[in-house]
Amino acid sequence: MSALFEQFVLESRELLEAAGAALLRLERDPADKTAVNDLFRALHTLKGATALFDMAPFTRMVHAGEDALMAVRDGRAAMSGELADRLLALLDIGSAWVDGLEHSQTLPDDADARAQAQEAGLRAALGGPAETVRSGTPAGFAWVDELPEADRAKAAGRTVTAIAYAPAEDCFFAGDDPLDLCRRIPDLLLLRIEAAGAWPALTDLDPYRCALRFRALSGAPKDELTRLFRGVPDQVSLATVAMPALAEPASTAAPLATPPSLATAMLWEQARILRLPGSDEEIVARRAAVLRAVRNILAAEGRVAERPALDRAAEGPVDALMRCIESLADGPAAAAPTAPAAPARRALRVDAERMDRLMALVGELVVAKGSLPHLAREAQEGRSADALAQSIKEAHGRIDSIVGDLQDAVLRLRLLPLSRVFDPLPRLVRDTARRLGKSVELHISGGETEADKDILDILGEPLLHLVRNGLDHGVEPPERRRAAGKPEVAAIRVQAFQDSGGVVVEVSDDGAGIDAVAVRRKAVTQGALTAEQAAALSDAEALRLIFLPGVSTSETVSDLSGRGVGMDAVRGAVEQAGGRVEVASTPGAGTRFRLVLPLTMMVTRLVTVETAGALYGFPMTLVTGMRRVPHGAIRRMKHAESVVVQDAVVPLLRLRRLLNLPEDERVRSGEAVLLVDLGGQPVALVVDAFQERAEVVLKPMTGLLARLRGYAGTAVLGDGRLLLALNLRELV
């Protein structure tokens, strides 16, 4: 993938996202002129970008959306729900095509049919037929009959569409590219580029004035070409022409050649230009222009290997250059081998100020490193140990400070605003609410809060689950809200903020809330708890049961929710990132979910412990406390152990047993207990000893070790010791 195409994919995604956001604003407030302008600007820019890469169906589809929006802007049509649905469908198709382009760099086979379907749908939504361009009649296409026999042979025996395109002189100032437009003519059989009039003297030639006209024959139907030239209807004439078959003996008739490509037609045209008469000055200027054009054509076709032959011919007479160009027009000397497709690269836009800070820190590190050779020389020369130790400490302090700043700067390169994962939510709420027949407003705040890109990748799916569940069976239908004295329009709020070095995202609604009694009953029905265990839970503890697989309070199963897997998936994804999920609900008033996540996954903050002589780590976001518990405070019932923490009975587990390590035979007065929160379920974990907290770069387990799901990864501490990070949920 070329750098230019990579940039196209990246910017197209941004334009589609911006168009979607503007369209949702416009649907809420049809009088919002800013939304109209933002949407129109995004579509217009996207249309130009797709035209640059010869994606006619994509360009045509976006152009149809632009026409529909222009009708709304001019007051010829109103922004209705049906029209918004059509435009959103157009953006969805565009997004899918861009995703496909990133991997295959081509549109799908049905792109043309889907583009036509979208055009027809937009016309129906606007309530009127599509506009058509003026087309000429065969009587005005005498130039077709005057074509040389060699040119007519390319279309002999076929019914073709003749195209007469005379661009306006100031077309460049309108953003038109006549040559690119002709390059996108489907099934091109013939293209002739001619002077629109007599050429002026070179001193009077205006390079910003189009002085060309284009004549072409295409095997495509007239309607398809009408759509292609719909942007310049006053400059093009189209006619359907039946080309007579050539009469030649069957025994000597050769099969017609494959229709030439645009590059071939342009090369033949350059050879013809060299034959034109003129003064010596004109011939020299024309030769230089032709040479530049041919070089550009070869570069665009990837025929770089043929450049040397062209350069050698350029050093000789005009006839030699002309023969060389004609040979190039016959086709490449040899087909270049197709290179394997490169893997898709992930793009990450970085703020320039952050990059400047990183470069400044690298410069400081280089300067600080320069002091180390000086210290080495002093050590060799026998400088006193005390003075040398002091110098080494100072150098270490400088380097340590710079490395710390450098680490922070590198991490901030990966920080992105949470608006990246918030942007799809308005569309989700809009479509789902319309489908369910509910009136819902989405309120988003804190989109500027930043988190690591990996955190955003993990956060997207849980957010969709929570919002979708809130829409489906959190928010009541309008009639139930009216009966309960609530506003008919429900509210779902998504807010984010940073807290204690991490990121907190809250999703809340003002719906019916969660019935703790129903949750207990469903958990017992599913076999997750016994009736006695469920009855012993407080309401807050009962709410956490919704994170268990198969536990759902929905009475019906739909394609949105009700299977009891959504909340379990939310908890699993958040805990995978080293975070936790909290839930609070008031029946009749609403529900709030709170996702607590680390700021980054590159550097993980761990609480380290020692067990059986080895070091283990647990994400700090899961640890709620550390304490020493006397043996007498540990309760035993058969093989289960528990301890009372803040007036609550908490199950007690031993890390040695979870890891199948030998029991600790040492006599102690008490146990070192680590208190952790596993998806709302408190657990007390017995370890041998507490160690210091650490910030580490975790490396995931690879190979056969990757199957050990109880381990989150490994890290090397500053003193060289190996640390194993544990996934306690998997162990339990």
Side-chain angles (χ1 to χ4, degrees), residues 575 580-582 622-624 675-683:
E575 289 183 357
R580 67 177 187 272
V581 185
E582 302 171 357
L622 300 182
V623 177
T624 59
L675 301 176
V676 295
D677 186 329
L678 295 183
Q681 175 61 50
V683 173

Side-chain angles (χ1 to χ4, degrees), residues 179-219:
L179 184 58
D180 178 70
L181 192 56
C182 291
R183 188 168 66 91
R184 291 187 279 120
I185 296 175
D187 196 7
L188 182 64
L189 303 174
L190 172 72
L191 176 65
R192 295 180 65 88
I193 305 175
E194 306 170 347
W199 287 102
L202 288 178
T203 54
D204 299 330
L205 188 64
D206 183 359
Y208 298 104
R209 183 178 66 88
C210 181
L212 300 174
R213 67 182 181 185
F214 300 83
R215 302 288 185 259
L217 296 178
S218 169

Side-chain angles (χ1 to χ4, degrees), residues 227-551:
R227 289 191 295 269
L228 176 64
F229 287 96
R230 66 187 303 165
V232 287
D234 56 332
Q235 302 168 26
V236 67
S237 296
L238 305 174
T240 301
V241 179
M243 303 293 291
L246 296 180
E248 55 182 338
S251 58
T252 60
L256 292 178
T258 303
S261 66
L262 178 61
T264 299
M266 293 175 65
L267 288 171
W268 280 111
E269 189 66 19
Q270 299 307 310
R272 188 185 68 82
I273 291 174
L274 286 179
R275 295 192 186 96
L276 298 176
S279 64
D280 292 342
E281 181 183 1
E282 290 176 343
I283 292 175
V284 170
R286 193 182 300 140
R287 175 174 175 155
V290 166
L291 195 58
R292 284 196 303 272
V294 173
R295 285 171 176 163
N296 290 337
I297 294 169
L298 294 180
E301 291 286 295
R303 297 163 62 178
V304 182
E306 299 174 81
R307 279 282 300 272
L310 177 67
D311 294 339
R312 288 193 298 270
E315 298 174 357
V318 173
D319 290 344
L321 178 59
M322 185 173 59
R323 287 194 298 272
C324 177
I325 295 175
E326 290 174 346
S327 66
L328 293 174
D330 290 334
T338 303
R345 296 189 298 174
R346 295 193 306 170
L348 183 66
R349 293 199 170 188
V350 178
D351 184 48
E353 293 183 3
R354 295 183 180 181
M355 185 61 70
D356 292 342
R357 179 175 178 241
L358 179 63
M359 294 303 298
L361 289 170
V362 170
E364 292 181 25
L365 186 61
V366 171
V367 173
K369 184 190 71 172
S371 65
L372 299 181
H374 174 68
L375 293 176
R377 286 194 301 269
E378 289 189 344
Q380 289 176 341
E381 294 171 359
R383 184 179 177 185
S384 67
D386 292 341
L388 185 60
Q390 182 62 32
S391 298
I392 292 175
K393 287 181 180 179
E394 293 175 358
H396 172 267
R398 289 196 300 272
I399 294 176
D400 183 66
S401 175
I402 296 172
V403 169
D405 292 341
L406 191 61
Q407 174 183 322
D408 179 71
V410 171
L411 293 180
R412 290 192 176 277
L413 291 181
R414 294 174 53 86
L415 294 184
L416 296 173
L418 288 177
S419 57
R420 296 290 186 98
V421 292
F422 289 173
D423 287 345
L425 298 181
R427 172 71 184 281
L428 171 69
V429 171
R430 182 256 183 202
D431 290 350
T432 307
R434 279 173 61 88
R435 179 177 171 186
L436 297 174
K438 298 179 180 180
S439 299
V440 182
E441 283 189 357
L442 176 66
H443 305 274
I444 295 178
S445 61
E448 69 283 356
T449 305
E450 293 184 321
D452 187 274
K453 184 181 183 299
D454 289 340
I455 295 293
L456 266 63
D457 292 341
I458 291 176
L459 183 59
E461 195 65 25
L463 269 181
L464 292 179
H465 273 300
L466 293 176
V467 173
R468 193 159 48 218
N469 280 4
L471 285 166
D472 195 18
H473 58 265
V475 170
E476 314 97 323
E479 59 275 9
R480 285 181 54 189
R481 293 183 64 87
R482 287 195 298 268
K486 292 183 177 182
E488 185 172 324
V489 178
I492 291 181
R493 291 178 171 81
V494 179
Q495 58 178 338
F497 54 90
Q498 289 189 0
D499 182 47
S500 300
V503 177
V504 178
V505 179
E506 292 183 347
V507 180
S508 59
D509 63 66
D510 63 350
I514 301 176
D515 186 353
V517 175
V519 175
R520 290 190 186 93
R521 183 170 56 248
K522 191 61 175 284
V524 173
T525 302
Q526 294 293 328
L529 294 174
T530 64
E532 293 76 13
Q533 290 172 326
L537 296 176
S538 65
D539 285 350
E541 291 170 335
L543 291 179
R544 298 183 187 126
L545 296 175
I546 65 174
F547 296 111
L548 296 178
V551 177

